[in-house]
Amino acid sequence: ILDHQRGGFCYEVNSLLSEWLSVDLGYNVVRMPAIVHSNERGYNKPPSHICMIVTIDDGEQDQPTAYFVDVGYGEPSIHPLKLEFDIEQKTEEGMTSRFVRNGDDVGLEWLCSESGGFKPRVQFSWQDAMGNSLGAISSY
């Protein structure tokens, strides 16, 4: 990836982590396409990023808990985020994030220290998060 100066880092590391989580540790993992937000262009389509939803059944709740996992974005947060809407979550490295939903679209927003407001980062489909499709999204 680095030698050839190409993208695809998220596909490499998130796919590797998802295989380890599902095959070796037995977690339910859904890999899903995502759209990265750009300040200049907004959300670029088609999806050019991949991330994961990992569900954990701890036996203490009525249904498993879903977590957003993305170690391939290139900046924090590398910690999982509980997939809950309109609730601010602060990770160990101090990043504050939240998920917002608009119809089938789910957006991950991060608190921007410069503006003091939330900034869109990644968007994905609720249907994809629930494991309904992945599609061919990478040529790597």
Side-chain angles (χ1 to χ4, degrees), residues 24-45:
D24 294 341
L25 299 181
Y27 290 110
N28 180 30
V29 178
V30 174
R31 287 182 282 189
M32 60 186 180
I35 303 168
V36 175
H37 187 272
S38 162
N39 289 335
E40 296 81 32
R41 297 178 303 270
Y43 284 112
N44 297 321
K45 292 184 179 182

Side-chain angles (χ1 to χ4, degrees), residues 47-135:
S48 61
H49 187 64
I50 191 168
C51 47
M52 298 171 271
I53 298 295
V54 179
T55 53
I56 298 173
D57 188 357
D58 59 12
E60 296 182 17
Q61 306 206 5
D62 294 339
Q63 58 187 13
T65 303
Y67 291 91
F68 176 87
V69 178
D70 185 1
V71 295
Y73 192 77
E75 61 185 352
S77 161
I78 60 169
H79 294 88
L81 297 167
K82 196 179 254 190
L83 188 56
E84 296 180 323
F85 299 106
D86 302 314
I87 296 173
E88 293 182 14
Q89 301 179 55
K90 193 167 192 172
T91 60
E92 292 179 30
E93 68 273 0
M95 178 165 276
T96 301
S97 305
R98 71 179 179 191
F99 292 100
V100 294
R101 187 167 176 188
N102 182 13
D104 189 51
D105 294 329
V106 177
L108 172 60
E109 300 178 340
W110 293 345
L111 187 61
C112 180
S113 58
E114 291 126 21
S115 70
F118 279 90
K119 178 180 176 182
R121 302 302 288 171
V122 176
Q123 184 180 62
F124 55 91
S125 159
W126 180 250
Q127 292 300 314
D128 289 341
M130 296 300 98
N132 295 335
S133 70
L134 181 58

